[in-house]
Amino acid sequence: MAVKVYVVYYSTYGHVGKLAEEIKEGASSVEGVEAKIWQVPETLPEEVLGKMGAPPKPDVPVITPQELAEADGILFGFPTRFGMMAAQMKAFFDATGGLWREQSLAGKPAGIFFSTGTQGGGQETTPLTAITQLTHHGMVFVPVGYTFGAKLFGMDQVQGGSPYGAGTFAADGSRWPSEVELEHAFHQGKYFAGIAKKLKGSA
């Protein structure tokens, strides 16, 4: 039976969505792994999103909290809001109380990826503060660490990401994930899927 890896994200302008696509591709490259991409529900009215200049949502299925239990491993992606996850993703986690009561996610591996507006805007604090959600569910946090290799140490260009996971800088919204950031995302998906496969195989 295939190892199910879910890539679950929230994205206002599409930057996190772009990372999510690469992470899915990376996870799918591992033999025996079936990766699926989902987005969490939007909480802002269309009128507000329009005033913010947010583009229409992509044709990606919207996940319910209960569907998380079907996965063998989950990667969560979101933009930062003052150094923490966006409210839309927090609202989704807040709706997982039933899963918590049943401990449906306990023991499942989980990873995190993210987008920030500035270099000091939360490339570490955003995933760090998100780990509390995983901890209360008893999930096993799988950081990407420095397994991406030398490119994570690159200083010749601005690049997002950290040992916690893949990341990008959106700036004012006009900057899109760079080639290196997308490579990091692909690597995280592949690395995480390998870990999820090992854990399921040893269960």
Side-chain angles (χ1 to χ4, degrees), residues 156-170:
D156 57 332
Q157 63 176 306
V158 173
Q159 66 184 59
S162 70
Y164 291 92
T168 188
F169 293 114

Side-chain angles (χ1 to χ4, degrees), residues 24-196:
K24 175 183 176 292
E25 290 301 312
S28 297
S29 72
V30 177
E31 185 178 356
V33 171
E34 178 184 298
K36 187 172 183 178
I37 192 169
W38 305 80
Q39 58 183 330
V40 302
E42 178 60 78
T43 60
L44 293 175
E46 288 294 333
E47 181 182 1
V48 174
L49 290 170
K51 290 180 179 179
M52 292 170 61
K57 296 297 180 186
D59 186 22
V60 173
V62 176
I63 195 169
T64 63
Q66 291 71 27
E67 286 172 306
L68 290 177
E70 301 169 359
D72 296 305
I74 309 166
L75 284 146
F76 297 99
F78 36 80
T80 189
R81 296 292 185 267
F82 298 108
M84 301 175 72
M85 68 170 63
Q88 289 86 344
M89 183 60 79
K90 183 60 168 64
F92 179 74
F93 271 111
D94 286 348
T96 61
L99 296 175
W100 171 77
R101 281 192 297 274
E102 299 296 326
Q103 289 295 286
S104 301
L105 302 181
K108 293 182 185 288
I112 297 171
F113 59 102
F114 39 84
S115 171
T116 68
T118 63
Q119 293 186 60
Q123 291 282 316
E124 291 196 347
T125 62
T126 303
L128 179 62
T129 52
I131 291 174
T132 58
Q133 312 298 308
L134 312 181
T135 300
H136 280 260
H137 276 290
M139 302 187 82
V140 181
F141 177 51
V142 180
V144 72
Y146 284 92
T147 60
F148 186 47
K151 289 185 178 180
L152 195 58
F153 295 88
M155 300 292 284
D156 57 332
Q157 63 176 306
V158 173
Q159 66 184 59
S162 70
Y164 291 92
T168 188
F169 293 114
D172 60 358
S174 61
R175 181 188 184 278
W176 287 90
S178 68
E179 182 178 342
V180 172
E181 290 169 344
L182 293 175
E183 288 178 13
H184 193 191
F186 183 94
H187 169 76
Q188 182 179 11
K190 183 177 182 179
Y191 176 77
F192 179 86
I195 298 294

